[in-house]
Amino acid sequence: MTEATPAKTDARFADRAFVALQLCLPTRWLSLLVFKLTQLRAPRFKNALIRLFLRGYTIDLSEAEFDDIERYDSFNHFFTRALKPGARPMPGNAQAFVSPVDGTISQFGTISEDRIIQAKGHSFSLYDLLPGDADAGDFVGGEFCTIYLAPYNYHRIHMPIDGRLAHWNYVPGRLFSVNAATARALPNLFTRNERLNARFDTPAGPVALSMVGALFVGSLETVWSGRVTPPHLRHASDGGPYTTMQPVALARGAEMGRFNMGSTVILLAARGAIRWAQDIAPGQPVRLGATLGNWRRAGA
């Protein structure tokens, strides 16, 4: 489990150089350009782009809704592809708190007061992660898990536990890469980047899910609001939080949103709400539906 107090960073010269390059790049413009390119429907262009991507990454299309690239309308349609029904069965244990995505565990553990570990030597405040949330203090001393989605991962986001949407908000920000190199070298990475935060009322108490945008992440989307970005804003005209006109109740394993290109999801739960599984560790790949731990009923 993650230590409460970060030590000296593991950042290398190459990590710092990569961050310095990103600081000079027009990341919002580049991300918008990638979004527009991935939306193009010209068959020859989108098929060539998909084939190029498949040569660069190992992707199992046998579990995808369509295994024939001709059936995808655009590269984005392919990138945000759905899975075949039953491809990610939920565990039989109703108390299992599951991974909402395919990805790699970056960090997890107990929040030390309001500080969340980003990487060795770096932490950030949950109040900075959840600006405008008057109830962010509910997660002080609570539990967190950060999962990184690489470009080759399945990019839809699902519920880790049954929940009813309480409120959500969009937070403008930068669009730095969220890979391990940037996490090691750039302080407060996840609170600098654009993100969408959603808070749910669950049997384990409040659970928040933060969808953190990143370089070349062309779109953040939820099932209740549709596409939220682009445009990638520098300042929010109304930071929320927002509540939906109709109640939004989602079962464990139900889709709640999606990314275009790789990014990061941060899960937050209240103090003592989650007992993490003994066999998970930072750097470990996980798949949607894998048990991260067991949740404890609020007030029990």
Side-chain angles (χ1 to χ4, degrees):
M1 184 174 292
T2 303
E3 296 178 359
T5 304
K8 184 179 179 181
T9 74
D10 285 335
R12 309 177 182 99
F13 173 79
D15 299 338
R16 296 188 177 94
F18 182 49
V19 168
L21 173 63
Q22 293 179 70
L23 288 168
C24 300
L25 292 174
T27 55
R28 294 186 186 89
W29 183 86
L30 287 172
S31 297
L32 180 59
L33 176 62
V34 168
F35 175 75
K36 289 183 177 297
L37 288 174
T38 61
Q39 299 291 319
L40 294 177
R41 292 172 174 254
R44 292 181 65 180
F45 174 81
K46 63 93 177 175
N47 288 342
L49 199 57
I50 293 171
R51 290 191 181 99
L52 181 64
F53 189 82
L54 290 173
R55 281 200 293 269
Y57 297 102
T58 301
I59 296 174
D60 182 8
L61 285 180
S62 66
E63 62 182 12
E65 182 181 21
F66 305 129
D67 56 10
D68 179 2
I69 66 170
E70 298 284 348
R71 300 191 64 182
Y72 293 100
D73 297 333
S74 65
F75 180 84
N76 185 64
H77 186 203
F78 158 77
F79 196 86
T80 60
R81 60 195 175 275
L83 297 174
K84 286 187 173 76
R88 296 287 192 281
M90 293 296 110
N93 176 12
Q95 301 288 123
F97 188 78
V98 304
S99 175
V101 293
D102 287 5
T104 301
I105 295 174
S106 174
Q107 301 288 337
F108 77 100
T110 299
I111 301 168
S112 179
E113 297 184 353
D114 72 316
R115 306 300 297 181
I116 301 171
I117 298 296
Q118 172 180 300
K120 187 177 181 182
H122 293 303
S123 68
F124 57 92
S125 170
L126 73 88
Y127 293 110
D128 291 336
L129 182 70
L130 306 176
D133 186 345
D135 298 318
D138 290 346
F139 301 111
V140 170
E143 306 295 328
F144 82 98
C145 184
T146 303
I147 304 175
Y148 167 68
L149 287 75
Y152 54 79
N153 287 128
Y154 168 67
H155 270 72
R156 299 195 183 194
I157 304 159
H158 298 249
M159 290 292 290
I161 186 173
D162 294 350
R164 184 185 180 96
L165 181 67
H167 55 73
W168 68 279
N169 71 323
Y170 163 69
V171 184
R174 295 295 300 267
L175 288 169
F176 296 112
S177 169
V178 290
N179 65 10
T182 309
R184 287 191 297 263
L186 185 62
N188 301 311
L189 169 61
F190 301 128
T191 59
R192 292 174 185 242
N193 272 16
E194 139 182 307
R195 57 201 177 277
L196 188 148
N197 298 323
R199 179 188 173 107
F200 297 91
D201 296 323
T202 81
V207 168
L209 191 152
S210 183
M211 298 169 57
V212 183
L215 181 64
F216 302 142
V217 175
S219 179
L220 300 176
E221 184 175 332
T222 69
V223 297
W224 59 82
S225 64
R227 197 179 83 197
V228 177
T229 64
H232 303 287
L233 304 180
R234 291 180 180 271
H235 305 286
S237 57
D238 177 8
Y242 311 114
T243 56
T244 55
M245 297 280 294
Q246 299 293 328
V248 176
L250 298 170
R252 184 183 67 173
E255 182 182 342
M256 60 80 60
R258 64 184 70 173
F259 287 120
N260 177 28
M261 305 302 284
S263 198
T264 286
V265 164
I266 303 174
L267 297 170
L268 303 176
R271 184 192 301 267
I274 308 296
R275 175 179 289 180
W276 300 108
Q278 294 184 349
D279 60 350
I280 66 170
Q284 175 182 325
V286 291
R287 283 160 59 92
L288 166 64
T291 297
L292 298 176
N294 287 335
W295 59 266
R296 179 180 179 185
R297 187 168 294 277

